[in-house]
Amino acid sequence: MATKKFGIVLDAKKCLNCKACTVACKFENTIHPGEDDYRIWVTELELKGTYPNISQEYQPSQCQHCENTPCASVCPTKATYKSPEGVVLIDYDKCILCKACMTACPYDARYENVHLHAIDKCTFCYQRQPEGREPACVETCPTRVRVFGDLNDPESEASKLLARNHTYQLKPERNTRPRLHYIK
Amino acid sequence: MAAHTENHGKSFLKSLIVNNKDIPAMPFIILGLILCAVGGFAVISVFVKGHHEAYGVTRQVPWGLLISSYAYFVIISTGIAFIGGLGHAFGYEKYAKISKRIVVLATIVLLAGFTQILMEIGNPLRMVYMMISPNFKAPIFWMGMFYGIELVILAFELYLIFKPNQTEADHKLAAVAGFLALLVGVLATSNLGYVFGSLNAREWYHGIYFSTFLVVSGVTAGAALLILVHTIVYKGSLPAELKPSMVSLGKLMGGGIGVMMFLYLWKMLSSIFTEPGDAYMSVMSLINGPLSFNFWIGEMLLAVILPLALIVTAKGSIKKLSMAGFIFLIGLFFTRFDFVVAGQLPPMRKGLAGSGVITDVAGFAFYSPSMLEWLVYMFGFGVFFLLYFSAEKFLNLETESHH
Ligand code: SF4
Ligand code: SF4
Ligand code: SF4
């Protein structure tokens, strides 16, 4: 059996900017208050068109779990590593807080977790894996913007969405090969 | 036998201690003590408050003043070691004449740099994992290696220069050590350029430019500090046999600034033509953005124009050369600060609502150092003044002639 390859396919057009995902993430992962402390975000993109024909789109995002992983290559202690499913994780005990990974990440996905005294970021709620549960942001979204799954399994809903739609990735010019795919 | 070696060891140490009454070291030692006291208070505050609270760095600009001050010190140190290598290993007599001061100065400036990185890194104790599970791909791993090895080489050189009854074999060893200090120093500093150059997200640092620029500006700074220190130690009237050394260091400094100007020109011009990329934003932050005062007054006026003008018109005047060195070393702070910060001012996401990113109208992220960051920087200077001028006061740093 081929190894699993976790990823998320997002249909941002469905996003209501309700921020339920960001709240669910904070609860699931005990994220403390603080301006810089967040794992996921929902950006209100610039308005398109001219009045009265205006449209507004939102862009929910988080760590892209890059296949080419700039944050891991610069980490001197291998605190940043990849799980067998390609989820980019941090071994908090090994993190020296040099912040090289923060400066290397093209998506500004990392922050300093003061309580863990280490760098932190989205883990696809890896702690839920043993139970087979989806990440909190995926589970909580009222319009199912995010679909999480094994991109190596052609039968997974995520793979099917990826096959059926034209998709794009953020900052492809950085050659990071993100595991987040946005439906066009 | 053991007692004999112990006695021997004691008398060796004793023989090193002198009391140099002529050297105006006391004011600098006192300055060092004051800065260490104030800085020490800052260090304790940082541990009490935690780095996150104490420092002004943010999610968008994670590297700030203390990375700049670390770079400031360690690159000066390797620059001095470079000059020492020219003297020791390549037989450049004018630099060999001041080799004792070179080794002591390089070591102490390196230690001052280490105080900065230790205060910058949030969990220095966990650095053991750089040994337990090293990532050989990570430039920071190599940074630790190279600067660590540089310290060991300098310590060995210190032993050699203070060893009584030097033999021909010692001189040969010193030449090898001097060469290694030069080589590892250049590797360490150019690798520091690579620590930045390897950051996928930050275009400003990509390419060979910074690795080259840091080495060149480091040697320039090393020459500047050596001239300045000699002028202080001899209260402005140098012995005739050292004057040619200073004049030569002045030339080295002038040449260094010349190469820096050349590098600046092409880096700035080529970055301007990368519009609308991040390197363009970085160069604009310097020319006409949040760092423009630093750039024009600090980097250009203090680290290039004024020292160069002084050197060109010095005509052998050591006073003018030391003034050039002094101004250059102030300007160099801005050079290092701008280098570190400019690359991080272009944000990774636009500062739109909900993005979590805050930017100014021109789209730049913000960073201004906190008071505690400044004080930790002062601690680095305190360590330098205290250790170096104590060495001047209590050790004999005059280099005896080899021949
Ligand atoms: S929960 Fe879903 S709809 Fe709400 S902000 Fe997040 S992605 Fe958008
Ligand atoms: S998005 Fe950033 S933190 Fe996440 S894997 Fe990519 S480089 Fe690393
Ligand atoms: S801050 Fe921690 S996770 Fe990031 S590169 Fe340094 S050691 Fe690795």
Side-chain angles (χ1 to χ4, degrees):
Chain A
M1 203 186 83
T3 48
K4 287 183 177 171
K5 173 177 161 180
F6 286 153
I8 294 183
V9 181
L10 299 93
D11 190 352
K13 284 186 290 301
K14 287 192 197 162
C15 178
L16 314 166
N17 196 26
C18 69
K19 303 258 199 305
C21 50
T22 61
V23 175
C25 175
K26 283 189 197 276
F27 272 102
E28 170 68 25
N29 299 297
T30 335
I31 295 173
H32 297 268
E35 218 170 69
D36 286 347
D37 301 34
Y38 55 88
R39 289 185 177 193
I40 69 176
W41 56 90
V42 185
T43 305
E44 298 171 23
L45 297 178
E46 279 128 331
L47 292 176
K48 274 203 253 166
T50 45
Y51 183 82
N53 299 315
I54 309 179
S55 70
Q56 164 88 69
E57 277 188 31
Y58 305 104
Q59 190 182 68
S61 203
Q62 63 223 72
C63 167
Q64 311 287 308
H65 296 274
C66 308
E67 275 176 50
N68 288 338
T69 322
C71 54
S73 16
V74 299
C75 177
T77 59
K78 292 194 179 151
T80 293
Y81 68 101
K82 264 192 220 166
S83 80
E85 305 87 354
V87 181
V88 178
L89 297 172
I90 297 153
D91 180 343
Y92 303 118
D93 290 335
K94 283 188 185 173
C95 175
I96 63 172
L97 275 176
C98 65
K99 302 188 209 152
C101 53
M102 290 177 84
T103 43
C105 170
Y107 304 94
D108 185 4
R110 298 178 158 245
Y111 70 99
E112 183 182 338
N113 185 327
V114 185
H115 299 269
L116 291 175
H117 215 44
I119 292 299
D120 213 347
K121 65 170 193 70
C122 163
T123 58
F124 279 169
C125 293
Y126 201 69
Q127 67 279 11
R128 290 179 164 208
Q129 276 313 305
E131 299 169 54
R133 275 177 78 190
E134 296 182 311
C137 58
V138 176
E139 206 178 68
T140 204
C141 177
T143 55
R144 284 203 88 216
V145 167
R146 291 174 173 88
V147 173
F148 173 80
D150 177 6
L151 302 180
N152 273 349
D153 172 7
E155 292 308 312
S156 74
E157 193 188 344
S159 292
K160 284 181 185 161
L161 274 176
L162 203 54
R164 278 203 304 266
N165 293 283
H166 285 292
T167 56
Y168 64 95
Q169 292 156 309
L170 302 182
K171 296 199 180 180
E173 72 281 5
R174 297 261 70 100
N175 193 32
T176 52
R177 303 178 60 209
R179 290 275 180 93
L180 258 67
H181 299 267
Y182 289 81
I183 293 176
K184 273 190 188 156
Chain B
M1 178 71 196
H4 174 254
T5 359
E6 204 172 273
N7 273 340
H8 182 77
K10 261 190 196 157
S11 61
F12 165 58
L13 281 180
K14 237 182 177 177
S15 72
L16 288 181
I17 308 292
V18 289
N19 187 2
N20 295 312
K21 292 217 173 65
D22 305 343
I23 295 176
M26 255 358 240
F28 292 98
I29 294 178
I30 293 167
L31 175 66
L33 281 170
I34 296 171
L35 291 176
C36 278
V38 177
F41 160 78
V43 167
I44 294 167
S45 311
V46 170
F47 285 120
V48 173
K49 281 190 167 183
H51 286 58
H52 192 72
E53 275 287 298
Y55 295 157
V57 284
T58 62
R59 180 169 174 147
Q60 272 79 49
V61 185
W63 282 348
L65 177 63
L66 295 183
I67 292 282
S68 327
S69 57
Y70 164 65
Y72 180 86
F73 287 119
V74 294
I75 298 173
I76 296 180
S77 167
T78 52
I80 298 170
F82 185 97
I83 297 169
L86 293 182
H88 257 143
F90 295 105
Y92 206 73
E93 197 54 39
K94 284 179 184 143
Y95 300 151
K97 269 188 187 152
I98 52 170
S99 58
K100 242 174 153 177
R101 268 201 181 93
I102 285 182
V103 176
V104 174
L105 198 56
T107 313
I108 291 172
V109 176
L110 191 62
L111 291 176
F114 285 173
T115 63
Q116 305 297 293
I117 196 73
L118 286 176
M119 287 308 295
E120 156 65 29
I121 284 182
N123 290 315
L125 292 180
R126 291 186 192 156
M127 276 158 78
V128 291
Y129 287 106
M130 282 169 68
M131 298 295 138
I132 299 171
S133 59
N135 179 5
F136 299 118
K137 270 200 281 176
I140 290 195
F141 168 80
W142 293 107
M143 182 179 93
M145 281 292 125
F146 289 140
Y147 281 112
I149 295 171
E150 182 77 350
L151 186 64
V152 173
I153 299 172
L154 287 171
F156 182 61
E157 283 199 87
L158 277 180
Y159 163 74
L160 284 178
I161 56 168
F162 284 111
K163 191 173 171 252
N165 313 322
Q166 307 220 351
T167 61
E168 197 45 45
D170 290 336
H171 289 156
K172 279 197 183 123
L173 263 183
V176 175
F179 173 71
L180 287 177
L182 178 151
L183 184 74
V184 176
V186 169
L187 278 174
T189 299
S190 49
N191 175 71
L192 191 55
Y194 176 48
V195 165
F196 289 83
S198 62
L199 303 171
N200 176 306
R202 314 286 172 167
E203 284 171 14
W204 175 243
Y205 305 129
H206 295 168
I208 192 182
Y209 170 77
F210 279 112
S211 287
T212 317
F213 184 85
L214 296 182
V215 172
V216 173
S217 58
V219 175
T220 313
L225 186 58
L226 281 168
I227 300 173
L228 191 56
V229 157
H230 278 90
T231 315
I232 293 172
V233 166
Y234 293 102
K235 295 184 223 149
S237 48
L238 270 90
E241 76 263 21
L242 286 188
K243 274 197 180 148
S245 305
M246 297 302 117
V247 172
S248 164
L249 285 171
K251 283 188 190 146
L252 186 63
M253 213 187 131
I257 296 177
V259 179
M260 282 166 66
M261 286 167 67
F262 173 84
L263 291 170
Y264 266 123
L265 177 69
W266 300 116
K267 172 71 177 174
M268 300 311 255
L269 283 180
S270 57
S271 302
I272 287 172
F273 283 97
T274 61
E275 189 179 9
D278 283 355
Y280 170 77
M281 264 191 98
S282 292
V283 76
M284 289 327 268
S285 77
L286 292 170
I287 299 178
N288 192 19
L291 297 171
S292 57
F293 174 84
N294 285 2
F295 180 72
W296 292 114
I297 304 298
E299 283 196 61
M300 289 296 125
L301 189 66
L302 299 181
V304 172
I305 297 168
L306 287 180
L308 195 61
L310 282 165
I311 291 168
V312 170
T313 58
K315 300 206 171 62
S317 152
I318 309 295
K319 215 171 152 196
K320 269 193 159 179
L321 289 180
S322 62
M323 184 52 83
F326 180 62
I327 298 174
F328 177 83
L329 289 169
I330 294 176
L332 188 72
F333 161 72
F334 296 96
T335 312
R336 296 291 179 251
F337 184 84
D338 290 356
F339 148 65
V340 171
V341 175
Q344 300 172 77
L345 289 185
M348 293 297 104
R349 299 195 294 274
K350 274 193 184 169
L352 299 169
S355 69
V357 176
I358 303 164
T359 53
D360 66 9
V361 276
F364 293 114
F366 295 97
Y367 169 64
S368 79
S370 72
M371 181 52 91
L372 285 173
E373 281 173 285
W374 284 112
L375 292 180
V376 171
Y377 185 26
M378 290 303 114
F379 183 68
F381 276 106
V383 167
F384 165 70
F385 282 123
L386 180 61
L387 293 184
Y388 184 71
F389 285 95
S390 300
E392 282 288 359
K393 178 122 190 92
F394 300 114
L395 299 172
N396 178 12
L397 301 189
E398 313 253 318
T399 310
E400 294 90 22
S401 167
H402 285 201
H403 308 287

